[in-house]
Amino acid sequence: DAGVIQSPRHEVTEMGQEVTLRCKPISGHNSLFWYRQTMMRGLELLIYFNNNVPIDDSGMPEDRFSAKMPNASFSTLKIQPSEPRDSAVYFCASSRRTRGVYTFGSGTRLTVV
Amino acid sequence: QQQVKQSPQSLIVQKGGISIINCAYENTAFDYFPWYQQFPGKGPALLIAIRPDVSEKKEGRFTISFNKSAKQFSLHIMDSQPGDSATYFCAASAGGQNFVFGPGTRLSVLP
């Protein structure tokens, strides 16, 4: 199993640009989570999906953030327009709903200049 | 009530020593308490986990101690090694979903 695959690994963009982060969860996992990690705030849950349906997006900081999961093998997190304070490492994680074990991807380090 | 508190923020231990990281929670609905280990440039990975029906769980050099009445749990790393140097996160969930993570402890084990 290749694990949770995130792309790109690094993204540098200018303020105001649209950024799209991608995630492929582990096959057979039916829950998917997007986290943001910063030194100041640690790991913050942004949104999670069960069976491709968004369950809780209360952690999405602003309307500039949106997430989709069009099928069981793909999810995107989009920031439009991006701002310097969005700079962070964004992690995707997946799990089998009843197992409670998260497998994290390697993350996308986003820098907005 | 959803918070998980973690201490210390950073920890330096000599090789062969014992590393101890403590966490506390308020939400009595939490029923699953994992610890995650994160190396630089990597995502967190599950290290060990415990449910509140036991007071201790041991896997190799790693032990979780759980005190349900005090709503506290801790990670003990025996015979700490330089390869254990990483950031450790405690977490808690109710029903195995939607984990709340502690702020993390950066452990450095000196050779």
PDB file of all heavy atoms in Angstrom, chain A residues 9 31 35 37 45 48 50 91 95 97 100-102 104-105, chain B residues 32 36 38 41-44 46 89 96-99 101 106:
ATOM      1  N   ARG A   9       4.385  18.428  -2.831  1.00  0.00           N
ATOM      2  CA  ARG A   9       5.059  18.401  -1.532  1.00  0.00           C
ATOM      3  C   ARG A   9       5.359  19.815  -1.051  1.00  0.00           C
ATOM      4  O   ARG A   9       5.302  20.099   0.143  1.00  0.00           O
ATOM      5  CB  ARG A   9       6.369  17.617  -1.624  1.00  0.00           C
ATOM      6  CG  ARG A   9       6.200  16.114  -1.699  1.00  0.00           C
ATOM      7  CD  ARG A   9       5.486  15.538  -0.477  1.00  0.00           C
ATOM      8  NE  ARG A   9       6.021  15.980   0.795  1.00  0.00           N
ATOM      9  CZ  ARG A   9       7.037  15.408   1.427  1.00  0.00           C
ATOM     10  NH1 ARG A   9       7.652  14.382   0.902  1.00  0.00           N
ATOM     11  NH2 ARG A   9       7.454  15.875   2.609  1.00  0.00           N
ATOM     12  N   SER A  31     -12.951   7.472   5.525  1.00  0.00           N
ATOM     13  CA  SER A  31     -12.937   8.797   6.156  1.00  0.00           C
ATOM     14  C   SER A  31     -11.681   9.541   5.727  1.00  0.00           C
ATOM     15  O   SER A  31     -10.597   8.940   5.657  1.00  0.00           O
ATOM     16  CB  SER A  31     -12.953   8.681   7.680  1.00  0.00           C
ATOM     17  OG  SER A  31     -14.177   8.136   8.133  1.00  0.00           O
ATOM     18  N   TYR A  35      -5.881  18.566   7.699  1.00  0.00           N
ATOM     19  CA  TYR A  35      -5.334  19.284   8.849  1.00  0.00           C
ATOM     20  C   TYR A  35      -4.365  20.352   8.375  1.00  0.00           C
ATOM     21  O   TYR A  35      -3.738  20.219   7.326  1.00  0.00           O
ATOM     22  CB  TYR A  35      -4.561  18.325   9.776  1.00  0.00           C
ATOM     23  CG  TYR A  35      -5.418  17.511  10.706  1.00  0.00           C
ATOM     24  CD1 TYR A  35      -5.960  16.299  10.298  1.00  0.00           C
ATOM     25  CD2 TYR A  35      -5.670  17.945  12.006  1.00  0.00           C
ATOM     26  CE1 TYR A  35      -6.737  15.550  11.156  1.00  0.00           C
ATOM     27  CE2 TYR A  35      -6.444  17.190  12.878  1.00  0.00           C
ATOM     28  CZ  TYR A  35      -6.973  16.001  12.435  1.00  0.00           C
ATOM     29  OH  TYR A  35      -7.742  15.256  13.296  1.00  0.00           O
ATOM     30  N   GLN A  37      -0.996  22.480   9.955  1.00  0.00           N
ATOM     31  CA  GLN A  37      -0.044  22.493  11.065  1.00  0.00           C
ATOM     32  C   GLN A  37       0.821  23.741  11.005  1.00  0.00           C
ATOM     33  O   GLN A  37       1.463  24.015   9.992  1.00  0.00           O
ATOM     34  CB  GLN A  37       0.851  21.247  11.041  1.00  0.00           C
ATOM     35  CG  GLN A  37       1.765  21.142  12.247  1.00  0.00           C
ATOM     36  CD  GLN A  37       2.571  19.844  12.263  1.00  0.00           C
ATOM     37  OE1 GLN A  37       3.046  19.372  11.230  1.00  0.00           O
ATOM     38  NE2 GLN A  37       2.715  19.249  13.441  1.00  0.00           N
ATOM     39  N   LEU A  45      -7.781  20.639  12.760  1.00  0.00           N
ATOM     40  CA  LEU A  45      -8.657  19.970  11.812  1.00  0.00           C
ATOM     41  C   LEU A  45      -9.430  21.029  11.021  1.00  0.00           C
ATOM     42  O   LEU A  45     -10.092  21.890  11.605  1.00  0.00           O
ATOM     43  CB  LEU A  45      -9.641  19.053  12.546  1.00  0.00           C
ATOM     44  CG  LEU A  45     -10.673  18.350  11.669  1.00  0.00           C
ATOM     45  CD1 LEU A  45      -9.992  17.362  10.730  1.00  0.00           C
ATOM     46  CD2 LEU A  45     -11.714  17.643  12.530  1.00  0.00           C
ATOM     47  N   TYR A  48     -13.554  17.220   7.622  1.00  0.00           N
ATOM     48  CA  TYR A  48     -13.440  15.796   7.362  1.00  0.00           C
ATOM     49  C   TYR A  48     -14.663  15.265   6.636  1.00  0.00           C
ATOM     50  O   TYR A  48     -15.761  15.820   6.736  1.00  0.00           O
ATOM     51  CB  TYR A  48     -13.109  15.005   8.625  1.00  0.00           C
ATOM     52  CG  TYR A  48     -14.225  14.705   9.585  1.00  0.00           C
ATOM     53  CD1 TYR A  48     -14.941  13.505   9.516  1.00  0.00           C
ATOM     54  CD2 TYR A  48     -14.518  15.586  10.615  1.00  0.00           C
ATOM     55  CE1 TYR A  48     -15.924  13.217  10.441  1.00  0.00           C
ATOM     56  CE2 TYR A  48     -15.510  15.300  11.540  1.00  0.00           C
ATOM     57  CZ  TYR A  48     -16.203  14.105  11.459  1.00  0.00           C
ATOM     58  OH  TYR A  48     -17.191  13.812  12.375  1.00  0.00           O
ATOM     59  N   ASN A  50     -16.841  11.646   5.507  1.00  0.00           N
ATOM     60  CA  ASN A  50     -17.153  10.226   5.634  1.00  0.00           C
ATOM     61  C   ASN A  50     -17.875   9.794   4.363  1.00  0.00           C
ATOM     62  O   ASN A  50     -18.871  10.415   3.977  1.00  0.00           O
ATOM     63  CB  ASN A  50     -18.045   9.938   6.851  1.00  0.00           C
ATOM     64  CG  ASN A  50     -17.269   9.890   8.146  1.00  0.00           C
ATOM     65  OD1 ASN A  50     -16.042   9.771   8.143  1.00  0.00           O
ATOM     66  ND2 ASN A  50     -17.961   9.978   9.262  1.00  0.00           N
ATOM     67  N   PHE A  91      -1.859  18.726   5.959  1.00  0.00           N
ATOM     68  CA  PHE A  91      -1.848  17.277   5.951  1.00  0.00           C
ATOM     69  C   PHE A  91      -3.227  16.732   5.602  1.00  0.00           C
ATOM     70  O   PHE A  91      -4.261  17.254   6.030  1.00  0.00           O
ATOM     71  CB  PHE A  91      -1.456  16.717   7.322  1.00  0.00           C
ATOM     72  CG  PHE A  91      -0.013  16.871   7.664  1.00  0.00           C
ATOM     73  CD1 PHE A  91       0.408  17.857   8.547  1.00  0.00           C
ATOM     74  CD2 PHE A  91       0.942  16.029   7.110  1.00  0.00           C
ATOM     75  CE1 PHE A  91       1.745  18.005   8.872  1.00  0.00           C
ATOM     76  CE2 PHE A  91       2.282  16.168   7.425  1.00  0.00           C
ATOM     77  CZ  PHE A  91       2.683  17.161   8.303  1.00  0.00           C
ATOM     78  N   SER A  95      -8.798   7.154   7.236  1.00  0.00           N
ATOM     79  CA  SER A  95      -9.003   6.050   8.175  1.00  0.00           C
ATOM     80  C   SER A  95     -10.206   5.227   7.741  1.00  0.00           C
ATOM     81  O   SER A  95     -11.071   5.686   6.991  1.00  0.00           O
ATOM     82  CB  SER A  95      -9.225   6.580   9.600  1.00  0.00           C
ATOM     83  OG  SER A  95     -10.520   7.122   9.743  1.00  0.00           O
ATOM     84  N   ARG A  97     -13.531   4.058   9.111  1.00  0.00           N
ATOM     85  CA  ARG A  97     -14.317   4.821  10.078  1.00  0.00           C
ATOM     86  C   ARG A  97     -14.347   4.177  11.450  1.00  0.00           C
ATOM     87  O   ARG A  97     -14.237   4.841  12.458  1.00  0.00           O
ATOM     88  CB  ARG A  97     -15.733   4.997   9.562  1.00  0.00           C
ATOM     89  CG  ARG A  97     -16.545   5.921  10.450  1.00  0.00           C
ATOM     90  CD  ARG A  97     -17.899   6.196   9.902  1.00  0.00           C
ATOM     91  NE  ARG A  97     -18.630   7.069  10.823  1.00  0.00           N
ATOM     92  CZ  ARG A  97     -19.916   7.289  10.738  1.00  0.00           C
ATOM     93  NH1 ARG A  97     -20.611   6.727   9.800  1.00  0.00           N
ATOM     94  NH2 ARG A  97     -20.501   8.105  11.592  1.00  0.00           N
ATOM     95  N   GLY A 100     -10.576   4.011  13.837  1.00  0.00           N
ATOM     96  CA  GLY A 100     -10.028   5.114  14.604  1.00  0.00           C
ATOM     97  C   GLY A 100      -8.539   5.299  14.481  1.00  0.00           C
ATOM     98  O   GLY A 100      -7.921   5.911  15.333  1.00  0.00           O
ATOM     99  N   VAL A 101      -7.921   4.745  13.455  1.00  0.00           N
ATOM    100  CA  VAL A 101      -6.489   4.927  13.247  1.00  0.00           C
ATOM    101  C   VAL A 101      -6.297   5.800  12.021  1.00  0.00           C
ATOM    102  O   VAL A 101      -6.719   5.450  10.930  1.00  0.00           O
ATOM    103  CB  VAL A 101      -5.779   3.566  13.031  1.00  0.00           C
ATOM    104  CG1 VAL A 101      -4.307   3.806  12.715  1.00  0.00           C
ATOM    105  CG2 VAL A 101      -5.933   2.688  14.260  1.00  0.00           C
ATOM    106  N   TYR A 102      -5.699   6.941  12.236  1.00  0.00           N
ATOM    107  CA  TYR A 102      -5.434   7.836  11.121  1.00  0.00           C
ATOM    108  C   TYR A 102      -4.106   7.477  10.475  1.00  0.00           C
ATOM    109  O   TYR A 102      -3.120   7.221  11.167  1.00  0.00           O
ATOM    110  CB  TYR A 102      -5.284   9.277  11.611  1.00  0.00           C
ATOM    111  CG  TYR A 102      -6.537   9.995  12.008  1.00  0.00           C
ATOM    112  CD1 TYR A 102      -7.718   9.338  12.316  1.00  0.00           C
ATOM    113  CD2 TYR A 102      -6.534  11.381  12.102  1.00  0.00           C
ATOM    114  CE1 TYR A 102      -8.842  10.025  12.703  1.00  0.00           C
ATOM    115  CE2 TYR A 102      -7.653  12.085  12.485  1.00  0.00           C
ATOM    116  CZ  TYR A 102      -8.807  11.395  12.782  1.00  0.00           C
ATOM    117  OH  TYR A 102      -9.914  12.100  13.166  1.00  0.00           O
ATOM    118  N   PHE A 104      -1.557   9.470   8.066  1.00  0.00           N
ATOM    119  CA  PHE A 104      -1.299  10.784   7.489  1.00  0.00           C
ATOM    120  C   PHE A 104      -0.435  10.674   6.244  1.00  0.00           C
ATOM    121  O   PHE A 104       0.423   9.801   6.132  1.00  0.00           O
ATOM    122  CB  PHE A 104      -0.555  11.667   8.503  1.00  0.00           C
ATOM    123  CG  PHE A 104      -1.420  12.246   9.573  1.00  0.00           C
ATOM    124  CD1 PHE A 104      -1.764  11.500  10.688  1.00  0.00           C
ATOM    125  CD2 PHE A 104      -1.882  13.551   9.481  1.00  0.00           C
ATOM    126  CE1 PHE A 104      -2.561  12.038  11.698  1.00  0.00           C
ATOM    127  CE2 PHE A 104      -2.677  14.094  10.480  1.00  0.00           C
ATOM    128  CZ  PHE A 104      -3.018  13.334  11.584  1.00  0.00           C
ATOM    129  N   GLY A 105      -0.653  11.606   5.326  1.00  0.00           N
ATOM    130  CA  GLY A 105       0.258  11.790   4.213  1.00  0.00           C
ATOM    131  C   GLY A 105       1.489  12.562   4.687  1.00  0.00           C
ATOM    132  O   GLY A 105       1.604  12.924   5.869  1.00  0.00           O
TER     133      GLY A 105
ATOM    134  N   TYR B  32     -10.852   7.065  23.363  1.00  0.00           N
ATOM    135  CA  TYR B  32      -9.723   6.505  22.622  1.00  0.00           C
ATOM    136  C   TYR B  32      -8.606   7.528  22.658  1.00  0.00           C
ATOM    137  O   TYR B  32      -8.815   8.704  22.344  1.00  0.00           O
ATOM    138  CB  TYR B  32     -10.148   6.199  21.180  1.00  0.00           C
ATOM    139  CG  TYR B  32      -9.083   5.550  20.332  1.00  0.00           C
ATOM    140  CD1 TYR B  32      -8.634   4.263  20.597  1.00  0.00           C
ATOM    141  CD2 TYR B  32      -8.527   6.235  19.256  1.00  0.00           C
ATOM    142  CE1 TYR B  32      -7.662   3.676  19.814  1.00  0.00           C
ATOM    143  CE2 TYR B  32      -7.556   5.654  18.467  1.00  0.00           C
ATOM    144  CZ  TYR B  32      -7.132   4.370  18.750  1.00  0.00           C
ATOM    145  OH  TYR B  32      -6.163   3.786  17.971  1.00  0.00           O
ATOM    146  N   TYR B  36       0.861   9.995  18.651  1.00  0.00           N
ATOM    147  CA  TYR B  36       1.447  10.041  17.328  1.00  0.00           C
ATOM    148  C   TYR B  36       2.872  10.587  17.422  1.00  0.00           C
ATOM    149  O   TYR B  36       3.175  11.450  18.240  1.00  0.00           O
ATOM    150  CB  TYR B  36       0.604  10.914  16.395  1.00  0.00           C
ATOM    151  CG  TYR B  36      -0.609  10.216  15.833  1.00  0.00           C
ATOM    152  CD1 TYR B  36      -1.756  10.036  16.609  1.00  0.00           C
ATOM    153  CD2 TYR B  36      -0.603   9.699  14.543  1.00  0.00           C
ATOM    154  CE1 TYR B  36      -2.865   9.367  16.110  1.00  0.00           C
ATOM    155  CE2 TYR B  36      -1.706   9.037  14.024  1.00  0.00           C
ATOM    156  CZ  TYR B  36      -2.832   8.875  14.816  1.00  0.00           C
ATOM    157  OH  TYR B  36      -3.922   8.215  14.310  1.00  0.00           O
ATOM    158  N   GLN B  38       5.997  12.251  15.108  1.00  0.00           N
ATOM    159  CA  GLN B  38       6.244  12.947  13.848  1.00  0.00           C
ATOM    160  C   GLN B  38       7.718  13.306  13.712  1.00  0.00           C
ATOM    161  O   GLN B  38       8.271  14.019  14.560  1.00  0.00           O
ATOM    162  CB  GLN B  38       5.395  14.212  13.743  1.00  0.00           C
ATOM    163  CG  GLN B  38       5.531  14.921  12.397  1.00  0.00           C
ATOM    164  CD  GLN B  38       4.682  16.184  12.318  1.00  0.00           C
ATOM    165  OE1 GLN B  38       4.360  16.814  13.317  1.00  0.00           O
ATOM    166  NE2 GLN B  38       4.301  16.572  11.112  1.00  0.00           N
ATOM    167  N   GLY B  41       9.579  16.757   8.351  1.00  0.00           N
ATOM    168  CA  GLY B  41       9.257  16.523   6.950  1.00  0.00           C
ATOM    169  C   GLY B  41       8.298  15.376   6.697  1.00  0.00           C
ATOM    170  O   GLY B  41       8.025  15.047   5.540  1.00  0.00           O
ATOM    171  N   LYS B  42       7.789  14.784   7.760  1.00  0.00           N
ATOM    172  CA  LYS B  42       6.868  13.648   7.627  1.00  0.00           C
ATOM    173  C   LYS B  42       5.549  13.970   8.314  1.00  0.00           C
ATOM    174  O   LYS B  42       5.463  14.861   9.156  1.00  0.00           O
ATOM    175  CB  LYS B  42       7.467  12.390   8.252  1.00  0.00           C
ATOM    176  CG  LYS B  42       8.793  11.973   7.648  1.00  0.00           C
ATOM    177  CD  LYS B  42       8.625  11.470   6.234  1.00  0.00           C
ATOM    178  CE  LYS B  42       9.921  10.910   5.692  1.00  0.00           C
ATOM    179  NZ  LYS B  42       9.775  10.449   4.282  1.00  0.00           N
ATOM    180  N   GLY B  43       4.525  13.203   7.978  1.00  0.00           N
ATOM    181  CA  GLY B  43       3.273  13.325   8.691  1.00  0.00           C
ATOM    182  C   GLY B  43       3.326  12.536   9.993  1.00  0.00           C
ATOM    183  O   GLY B  43       4.151  11.638  10.161  1.00  0.00           O
ATOM    184  N   PRO B  44       2.455  12.877  10.936  1.00  0.00           N
ATOM    185  CA  PRO B  44       2.398  12.104  12.183  1.00  0.00           C
ATOM    186  C   PRO B  44       2.041  10.647  11.895  1.00  0.00           C
ATOM    187  O   PRO B  44       1.273  10.354  10.974  1.00  0.00           O
ATOM    188  CB  PRO B  44       1.274  12.798  12.964  1.00  0.00           C
ATOM    189  CG  PRO B  44       1.157  14.160  12.361  1.00  0.00           C
ATOM    190  CD  PRO B  44       1.495  13.985  10.910  1.00  0.00           C
ATOM    191  N   LEU B  46       0.929   6.872  13.876  1.00  0.00           N
ATOM    192  CA  LEU B  46       0.459   6.273  15.124  1.00  0.00           C
ATOM    193  C   LEU B  46       1.570   5.484  15.795  1.00  0.00           C
ATOM    194  O   LEU B  46       2.227   4.644  15.179  1.00  0.00           O
ATOM    195  CB  LEU B  46      -0.736   5.357  14.844  1.00  0.00           C
ATOM    196  CG  LEU B  46      -1.311   4.652  16.068  1.00  0.00           C
ATOM    197  CD1 LEU B  46      -1.924   5.656  17.033  1.00  0.00           C
ATOM    198  CD2 LEU B  46      -2.338   3.613  15.641  1.00  0.00           C
ATOM    199  N   PHE B  89       2.674  13.803  19.724  1.00  0.00           N
ATOM    200  CA  PHE B  89       1.349  14.386  19.932  1.00  0.00           C
ATOM    201  C   PHE B  89       0.466  13.375  20.648  1.00  0.00           C
ATOM    202  O   PHE B  89       0.356  12.229  20.206  1.00  0.00           O
ATOM    203  CB  PHE B  89       0.675  14.732  18.604  1.00  0.00           C
ATOM    204  CG  PHE B  89       1.368  15.790  17.804  1.00  0.00           C
ATOM    205  CD1 PHE B  89       2.306  15.457  16.847  1.00  0.00           C
ATOM    206  CD2 PHE B  89       1.065  17.131  17.994  1.00  0.00           C
ATOM    207  CE1 PHE B  89       2.950  16.427  16.097  1.00  0.00           C
ATOM    208  CE2 PHE B  89       1.695  18.111  17.247  1.00  0.00           C
ATOM    209  CZ  PHE B  89       2.646  17.757  16.301  1.00  0.00           C
ATOM    210  N   GLY B  96     -13.898   7.098  18.071  1.00  0.00           N
ATOM    211  CA  GLY B  96     -12.902   6.792  17.055  1.00  0.00           C
ATOM    212  C   GLY B  96     -12.846   7.761  15.894  1.00  0.00           C
ATOM    213  O   GLY B  96     -12.170   7.509  14.910  1.00  0.00           O
ATOM    214  N   GLN B  97     -13.537   8.875  15.997  1.00  0.00           N
ATOM    215  CA  GLN B  97     -13.544   9.844  14.911  1.00  0.00           C
ATOM    216  C   GLN B  97     -13.163  11.213  15.427  1.00  0.00           C
ATOM    217  O   GLN B  97     -13.239  11.489  16.603  1.00  0.00           O
ATOM    218  CB  GLN B  97     -14.948   9.923  14.293  1.00  0.00           C
ATOM    219  CG  GLN B  97     -15.260   8.742  13.409  1.00  0.00           C
ATOM    220  CD  GLN B  97     -14.619   8.852  12.047  1.00  0.00           C
ATOM    221  OE1 GLN B  97     -15.113   9.544  11.163  1.00  0.00           O
ATOM    222  NE2 GLN B  97     -13.519   8.173  11.851  1.00  0.00           N
ATOM    223  N   ASN B  98     -12.741  12.038  14.519  1.00  0.00           N
ATOM    224  CA  ASN B  98     -12.527  13.455  14.806  1.00  0.00           C
ATOM    225  C   ASN B  98     -11.633  13.672  16.017  1.00  0.00           C
ATOM    226  O   ASN B  98     -12.046  14.145  17.066  1.00  0.00           O
ATOM    227  CB  ASN B  98     -13.872  14.152  15.032  1.00  0.00           C
ATOM    228  CG  ASN B  98     -13.738  15.660  14.926  1.00  0.00           C
ATOM    229  OD1 ASN B  98     -12.667  16.168  14.650  1.00  0.00           O
ATOM    230  ND2 ASN B  98     -14.819  16.367  15.170  1.00  0.00           N
ATOM    231  N   PHE B  99     -10.368  13.302  15.848  1.00  0.00           N
ATOM    232  CA  PHE B  99      -9.416  13.434  16.931  1.00  0.00           C
ATOM    233  C   PHE B  99      -9.152  14.882  17.281  1.00  0.00           C
ATOM    234  O   PHE B  99      -9.102  15.749  16.425  1.00  0.00           O
ATOM    235  CB  PHE B  99      -8.084  12.797  16.533  1.00  0.00           C
ATOM    236  CG  PHE B  99      -8.130  11.297  16.492  1.00  0.00           C
ATOM    237  CD1 PHE B  99      -8.401  10.628  15.323  1.00  0.00           C
ATOM    238  CD2 PHE B  99      -7.881  10.563  17.639  1.00  0.00           C
ATOM    239  CE1 PHE B  99      -8.448   9.248  15.284  1.00  0.00           C
ATOM    240  CE2 PHE B  99      -7.913   9.183  17.611  1.00  0.00           C
ATOM    241  CZ  PHE B  99      -8.192   8.528  16.433  1.00  0.00           C
ATOM    242  N   PHE B 101      -6.051  16.910  18.896  1.00  0.00           N
ATOM    243  CA  PHE B 101      -4.634  16.715  19.153  1.00  0.00           C
ATOM    244  C   PHE B 101      -4.115  17.708  20.181  1.00  0.00           C
ATOM    245  O   PHE B 101      -4.546  18.867  20.217  1.00  0.00           O
ATOM    246  CB  PHE B 101      -3.830  16.883  17.863  1.00  0.00           C
ATOM    247  CG  PHE B 101      -3.927  15.711  16.934  1.00  0.00           C
ATOM    248  CD1 PHE B 101      -4.943  15.632  15.996  1.00  0.00           C
ATOM    249  CD2 PHE B 101      -2.991  14.677  16.982  1.00  0.00           C
ATOM    250  CE1 PHE B 101      -5.042  14.547  15.141  1.00  0.00           C
ATOM    251  CE2 PHE B 101      -3.082  13.593  16.121  1.00  0.00           C
ATOM    252  CZ  PHE B 101      -4.106  13.528  15.207  1.00  0.00           C
ATOM    253  N   ARG B 106       8.349  18.419  21.623  1.00  0.00           N
ATOM    254  CA  ARG B 106       9.537  18.137  20.829  1.00  0.00           C
ATOM    255  C   ARG B 106      10.575  17.470  21.721  1.00  0.00           C
ATOM    256  O   ARG B 106      11.081  18.073  22.673  1.00  0.00           O
ATOM    257  CB  ARG B 106      10.095  19.422  20.228  1.00  0.00           C
ATOM    258  CG  ARG B 106      11.342  19.208  19.387  1.00  0.00           C
ATOM    259  CD  ARG B 106      11.731  20.460  18.641  1.00  0.00           C
ATOM    260  NE  ARG B 106      10.749  20.787  17.606  1.00  0.00           N
ATOM    261  CZ  ARG B 106      10.911  21.738  16.704  1.00  0.00           C
ATOM    262  NH1 ARG B 106      11.995  22.479  16.715  1.00  0.00           N
ATOM    263  NH2 ARG B 106       9.988  21.987  15.812  1.00  0.00           N
TER     264      ARG B 106
END
